């Protein structure tokens, strides 16, 4: 998820998000075709094929994917009447939210989000926090929003002096732990300085 995007489309916000579920939509269309065939002929093979495909469709979330797409867009701040507007008729911030919704619903194993709250109001940010807390994959976030980081992160990474440091906690934990680490480093440095002075004194004697 890039911080800034020029993404646009003739499709509506809803249709764009539903692309994530293209496999389910294909299965839905196949089921509709089978239903028409079953109206004319009800062979055992056809009935068996329909039941097998229907079970697969249901198990993969076929009964809920449209409501999930709608909930994601509404949660990210869209109004009901905006769901059918083409992307080239809505704001850049809204287009970014459409991209965010697609990423979230894609159920990737790893999400990389750069400043995901930039175009979100408080309500939408709270919705995103709740969604990410329940997310089954790994989420890596870059953000200046400390409250957001505190809410969704359980590990914090810092790049310092060409090294990567990991802290097993949210942003507030990281700040406190880093301060303790720096105090420990200063004490260690002072201790080493005193030891060097002591050894130099022995050498001089």
């Amino acid at each position: 998820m890039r911080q800034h995007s020029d993404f646009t489309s003739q499709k509506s916000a809803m249709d764009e998000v539903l692309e994530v579920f293209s496999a389910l939509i294909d299965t839905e269309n196949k089921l509709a075709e089978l239903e028409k065939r079953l109206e004319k002929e009800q062979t055992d093979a056809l009935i068996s094929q329909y039941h097998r495909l229907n079970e697969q469709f249901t198990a993969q979330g076929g009964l809920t994917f449209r409501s999930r797409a709608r909930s994601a867009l509404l949660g990210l701040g869209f109004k009901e009447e905006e769901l059918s507007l083409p992307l080239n008729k809505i704001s850049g911030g809204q287009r970014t939210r459409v991209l965010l919704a697609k990423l979230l619903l894609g159920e990737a194993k790893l999400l990389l989000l750069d400043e995901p709250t930039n175009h979100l109001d408080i309500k939408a940010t709270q919705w995103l926090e709740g969604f990410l807390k329940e997310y089954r994959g790994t989420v890596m976030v870059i953000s200046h929003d400390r409250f957001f980081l505190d809410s969704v992160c359980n590990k914090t990474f810092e790049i310092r002096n060409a090294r990567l440091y990991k802290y097993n906690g949210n942003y507030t934990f990281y700040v406190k732990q880093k301060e303790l680490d720096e105090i420990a480093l200063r004490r260690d440095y002072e201790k080493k300085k005193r030891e060097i002075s002591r050894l130099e004194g022995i050498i001089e004697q």
Side-chain angles (χ1 to χ4, degrees):
M1 179 71 199
R2 296 181 180 180
Q3 188 176 156
H4 304 290
S5 174
D6 296 326
F7 172 74
T8 188
S9 170
Q10 297 286 340
K11 294 179 182 177
S12 70
M14 186 66 173
D15 287 341
E16 191 65 45
V17 173
L18 285 174
E19 279 192 355
V20 173
F21 303 107
S22 56
L24 284 173
I25 292 170
D26 287 343
T27 304
E28 190 177 52
N29 291 334
K30 288 176 185 174
L31 284 169
E33 289 173 12
L34 284 172
E35 284 173 6
K36 287 180 182 177
R37 289 177 62 186
L38 283 166
E39 288 175 3
K40 298 175 182 176
E41 51 172 329
Q42 294 189 351
T43 63
D44 289 343
L46 210 56
I47 291 170
S48 176
Q49 184 184 355
Y50 178 84
H51 282 298
R52 189 170 58 252
L53 198 61
N54 192 50
E55 284 178 3
Q56 176 190 322
F57 180 70
T58 303
Q60 293 175 348
L63 303 178
T64 60
F65 73 90
R66 282 190 171 79
S67 63
R68 286 167 61 202
R70 179 178 169 275
S71 294
L73 287 169
L74 294 177
L76 290 172
F78 275 82
K79 296 176 182 176
E80 191 73 50
E81 61 270 18
E82 293 173 330
L83 299 183
S84 57
L85 292 175
L87 264 63
N88 56 11
K89 299 293 183 184
I90 61 178
S91 70
Q94 286 175 310
R95 290 197 294 271
T96 300
R97 279 181 254 171
V98 170
L99 279 180
L100 180 57
K102 287 180 74 173
L103 282 175
L104 297 176
L105 294 171
E107 297 182 345
K109 291 180 181 178
L110 172 63
L111 283 181
L112 303 175
L113 306 178
D114 186 6
E115 299 289 356
T117 61
N118 262 8
H119 300 284
L120 304 182
D121 58 19
I122 293 173
K123 189 176 178 182
T125 299
Q126 289 173 342
W127 180 89
L128 180 60
E129 288 173 3
F131 188 97
L132 293 179
K133 284 177 184 177
E134 299 296 322
Y135 197 76
R136 293 180 182 178
T138 299
V139 183
M140 184 174 286
V141 181
I142 297 171
S143 179
H144 288 89
D145 187 335
R146 297 180 181 187
F147 297 105
F148 179 74
L149 292 175
D150 269 351
S151 178
V152 302
C153 295
N154 54 23
K155 286 185 178 66
T156 303
F157 296 87
E158 181 190 26
I159 298 172
R160 185 171 73 248
N161 299 326
R163 290 185 63 187
L164 183 69
Y165 296 86
K166 185 180 82 166
Y167 297 84
N168 290 316
N170 62 16
Y171 184 82
T172 297
F173 173 86
Y174 147 75
V175 171
K176 291 177 181 176
Q177 189 60 48
K178 183 183 176 184
E179 187 178 347
L180 292 173
D181 290 348
E182 287 175 347
I183 290 170
L185 282 171
R186 281 197 295 271
R187 285 175 179 167
D188 186 56
Y189 175 71
E190 294 298 330
K191 182 180 177 182
K192 285 177 180 175
K193 275 179 65 179
R194 288 194 299 270
E195 180 63 12
I196 289 168
S197 296
R198 187 183 72 82
L199 291 172
E200 286 175 342
I202 292 172
I203 291 166
E204 285 177 8
Q205 288 176 7

